[in-house]
Amino acid sequence: MVVDVPVSILLEKLQKLLDEERLAFPGLRNRVTNAINEFSKILIFLEADTSNNDFKSKLLHTIYSAKDTTESFVLPTAQRRQKGIYRILRTPLKLFPFPSWRLLQFSCEMKKFVNRLKDVSDEISKMTLQPIAQVSAVGGGHNQLYDQEQNFVLVGREDDEKELVARLFDENENSLRVISLVSEEPLGKTALVRNVYNRLDIRQHFQCRAWLHVHKDFTYKDMLLIILKQIPICVLKDVELMSEKELCAMLFKILMEVRFLIVLDDVCTIDVWLMLAYPFADAANGSRVILTTHSSNIQLHADPWSFPLNLMPLTDDGSWSLFLKKVGRSENSSDNTDINSFRERILRVCHGLPSAIVLLGGVLSRMESSEWSEVINLAHFDAGQSPLLKFVALSYQKLPSVLKPCFLYLVLFPKGYEIPTRRLFRLWLAEGFVQVSPNDSDVHKEDMPKKYLEELVCRNMIEIARQKSDGTPKTCRIPCYLYDVFLPKAGPAQTFWRP
């Protein structure tokens, strides 16, 4: 449960309140300082410990009680900026003290809150006697730029890419064919298809392309609209008012006249496939449908005459090549002598899973090689435990605290949704997630979100979907396998909302 995020957000609010010159009451300043100190101890424990979900759930009530108390104290004064004598005199707000009755009321509430925090700290002391290390700051370790090379996911997948492209261009098969990519574990199906889908020769060969991530919350009409809106030759007028039957007929008519490529990503059931396949017209012009799924039964129903493309775990050489790429090392470089000793251990814990390799590489790329051994030891998992979940938990645990709410905020968007970076930066700023150190006087607060995004991309927690002409990110998204893990965690933790 990601309870450390609301803790870090509240900690930042209290720190800003402590910096207020209007908070002149000494007793209140001391209580706010004590609350910050207790919260700092609790935050260190939460970032180091991934168990005790019951304890963390109970802690939420204390967190939100303090949050409500703090906001009820600060907001009414902030609202007076736009009216009364504050506006007439145009005097900086910091010269006006908080009303004395509010100071007294808030001081009493803070006293109760600090006592509850001390009880929590005492409970933590009973749970563990081991010291907990402080979290690192953003930008620690190697200061690498965005990974501009978008085909890194094809490391070790070159043969699979060639086979998929060959089947898309097969001139001996003009009938509509469904190419299924099947694997129970996350072996990079979506990433492989996306790279092939965006190739120039593919864009030139197919007159119409559409990508649909099959979300369980989408209705049939939603999915038809998503496909229709990606067809450039389609004139969409009042389509939202059409029935499912009318939309289906419109899509069938359009697809009869073009060579199309449609990707259906993450199809979970046979019923969903049968529903989506109905408007896919077979004009015997070489059109193709690519389907990614965890189930081989869906592939048999989709196209019994077409054999699936079964992805396998990466080989040891492929795994090591991908890892070196993600930590910014060259395969033939003599500078790898300091990390070659970790090769066997890394290959053993990653099991050829591309997602596990890039996550581990993202964590280790921010550290010196002398620190790798301790992290690799944390990546070991018990029999029956998912290796990928272990790497996901490790990657999140090693995130600097200021980045955790920024990362989890992406879960509020639909799965697979491309988020405009400019919009995301404004949202991070509006939510108060962006922090500037007093020592960084030359850094503007508006520039910090770019650094946050760069750090998350380097750690492989966010992927760049599209880039501008100058190479800077235009849109980004959270990888689907991370979305599936953190969506149920962020909801119960009430990180950004309360039911």
Side-chain angles (χ1 to χ4, degrees):
M1 187 178 292
V2 284
V3 186
D4 50 331
V5 173
V7 170
S8 61
I9 293 174
L10 180 55
L11 186 60
E12 174 67 13
K13 289 181 182 290
L14 291 175
Q15 187 62 57
K16 289 181 180 179
L17 182 62
L18 188 63
D19 295 337
E20 288 275 4
E21 296 180 13
R22 297 168 293 147
L23 202 64
F25 185 40
L28 178 55
R29 294 187 67 87
N30 291 337
R31 286 167 183 169
V32 173
T33 302
N34 290 337
I36 291 174
N37 292 336
E38 295 297 332
F39 252 138
S40 299
K41 297 176 185 177
I42 294 172
L43 183 60
I44 294 173
F45 166 76
L46 292 174
E47 289 176 338
D49 184 76
T50 58
S51 59
N52 282 297
N53 286 338
D54 293 338
F55 166 75
K56 295 178 182 180
S57 180
K58 294 176 183 179
L59 181 59
L60 280 173
H61 297 289
T62 303
I63 296 171
Y64 285 112
S65 175
K67 178 177 178 292
D68 292 341
T69 301
T70 304
E71 291 182 348
S72 64
F73 171 69
V74 176
L75 290 178
T77 302
Q79 291 170 354
R80 290 198 293 271
R81 290 176 185 266
Q82 303 300 325
K83 61 183 180 180
I85 192 171
Y86 293 88
R87 186 181 55 148
I88 295 172
L89 298 180
R90 300 186 181 278
T91 306
L93 190 60
K94 65 181 181 180
L95 298 182
F96 290 88
F98 289 112
S100 58
W101 66 272
R102 281 194 173 276
L103 287 171
L104 182 60
Q105 183 183 37
F106 185 54
S107 180
C108 293
E109 293 295 330
M110 285 302 298
K111 181 179 180 180
K112 299 176 184 178
F113 175 57
V114 170
N115 290 334
R116 290 201 298 269
L117 282 180
K118 289 182 177 179
D119 292 339
V120 172
S121 297
D122 292 341
E123 188 173 347
I124 291 176
S125 299
K126 296 177 182 178
M127 292 166 59
T128 175
L129 299 177
Q130 297 180 353
I132 301 172
Q134 294 282 355
V135 295
S136 59
V138 174
H142 304 285
N143 183 23
Q144 66 186 71
L145 299 175
Y146 293 112
D147 188 357
Q148 299 284 354
E149 194 170 353
Q150 294 297 304
N151 64 342
F152 75 90
V153 293
L154 297 184
V155 174
R157 294 287 184 214
E158 294 82 2
D159 293 340
D160 295 319
E161 180 195 15
K162 291 179 182 178
E163 181 179 351
L164 179 56
V165 172
R167 293 175 65 176
L168 291 174
F169 283 121
D170 190 358
E171 297 180 354
N172 297 323
E173 187 59 81
N174 290 325
S175 299
L176 174 64
R177 280 287 170 262
V178 180
I179 306 172
S180 300
L181 277 73
V182 183
S183 68
E184 294 184 3
E185 297 188 16
L187 294 176
K189 299 184 294 294
T190 300
L192 172 61
V193 174
R194 182 177 286 120
N195 276 267
V196 172
Y197 179 84
N198 289 324
R199 284 174 49 138
L200 177 61
D201 53 352
I202 295 295
R203 297 201 304 267
Q204 293 174 340
H205 182 72
F206 293 98
Q207 300 165 280
C208 167
R209 295 177 308 130
W211 184 292
L212 172 64
H213 181 85
V214 184
H215 198 281
K216 62 180 181 180
D217 294 331
F218 286 167
T219 65
Y220 183 43
K221 183 176 180 178
D222 291 334
M223 293 186 283
L224 291 174
L225 286 172
I226 291 173
I227 295 175
L228 281 168
K229 290 180 179 179
Q230 297 179 67
I231 300 177
I233 61 175
C234 179
V235 179
L236 300 178
K237 185 177 180 180
D238 299 328
V239 288
E240 285 81 4
L241 303 178
M242 294 183 180
S243 64
E244 292 180 354
K245 186 176 181 180
E246 291 172 324
L247 291 172
C248 188
M250 172 188 285
L251 181 58
F252 180 85
K253 183 178 179 180
I254 294 171
L255 296 182
M256 275 295 294
E257 300 175 358
V258 295
R259 183 193 298 121
F260 63 85
L261 170 63
I262 295 179
V263 177
L264 302 178
D265 186 28
D266 197 17
V267 179
C268 299
T269 66
I270 297 173
D271 292 338
V272 170
W273 159 250
L274 294 176
M275 183 171 54
L276 288 171
Y278 186 74
F280 295 162
D282 185 4
N285 59 1
S287 294
R288 297 288 186 268
V289 174
I290 299 179
L291 181 150
T292 69
T293 181
H294 299 279
S295 172
S296 58
N297 290 331
I298 296 177
Q299 178 270 326
L300 293 175
H301 283 79
D303 193 342
W305 299 276
S306 177
F307 60 91
L309 182 59
N310 292 299
L311 296 188
M312 303 299 292
L314 296 178
T315 63
D316 286 351
D317 290 340
S319 297
W320 187 243
S321 297
L322 179 58
F323 176 79
L324 291 177
K325 190 174 186 64
K326 296 314 299 178
V327 295
R329 301 292 187 99
S330 172
E331 290 188 59
N332 301 321
S333 174
S334 58
D335 298 334
N336 294 338
T337 54
D338 58 330
I339 66 173
N340 284 333
S341 59
F342 298 109
R343 186 178 190 272
E344 294 302 322
R345 294 171 61 191
I346 291 174
L347 295 179
R348 186 166 60 251
V349 298
C350 289
H351 289 265
L353 298 177
S355 301
I357 295 169
V358 298
L359 286 177
L360 181 60
V363 173
L364 298 181
S365 68
R366 318 310 289 168
M367 299 179 174
E368 300 296 335
S369 57
S370 58
E371 304 174 281
W372 284 18
S373 183
E374 180 182 354
V375 176
I376 296 173
N377 289 337
L378 295 175
H380 286 280
F381 55 93
D382 300 328
Q385 184 182 10
S386 171
L388 182 58
L389 290 179
K390 187 68 175 180
F391 285 103
V392 170
L394 177 63
S395 298
Y396 179 79
Q397 180 183 346
K398 293 297 181 180
L399 271 182
S401 58
V402 294
L403 292 182
K404 290 182 178 179
C406 296
F407 167 71
L408 289 176
Y409 197 79
L410 274 71
V411 180
L412 298 181
F413 294 89
K415 185 176 181 179
Y417 180 76
E418 292 188 11
I419 309 167
T421 53
R422 289 182 60 187
R423 178 187 177 192
L424 183 62
F425 294 162
R426 291 170 182 168
L427 289 171
W428 281 349
L429 287 166
E431 292 287 351
F433 298 155
V434 179
Q435 303 177 22
V436 179
S437 172
N439 299 327
D440 298 333
S441 56
D442 298 334
V443 178
H444 295 287
K445 192 171 185 178
E446 290 73 16
D447 295 332
M448 289 303 295
K450 298 178 183 178
K451 297 181 180 295
Y452 286 9
L453 179 65
E454 177 181 347
E455 183 74 13
L456 288 168
V457 170
C458 290
R459 291 174 177 268
N460 303 298
M461 304 292 280
I462 293 179
E463 57 189 21
I464 301 302
R466 299 184 189 182
Q467 293 178 324
K468 300 177 184 177
S469 57
D470 61 356
T472 58
K474 182 178 181 179
T475 62
C476 63
R477 60 177 163 249
I478 180 172
C480 292
Y481 65 90
L482 291 180
Y483 187 96
D484 292 336
V485 173
F486 285 99
L487 178 61
K489 291 179 178 293
Q494 304 174 28
T495 305
F496 302 110
W497 65 89
R498 299 176 71 179

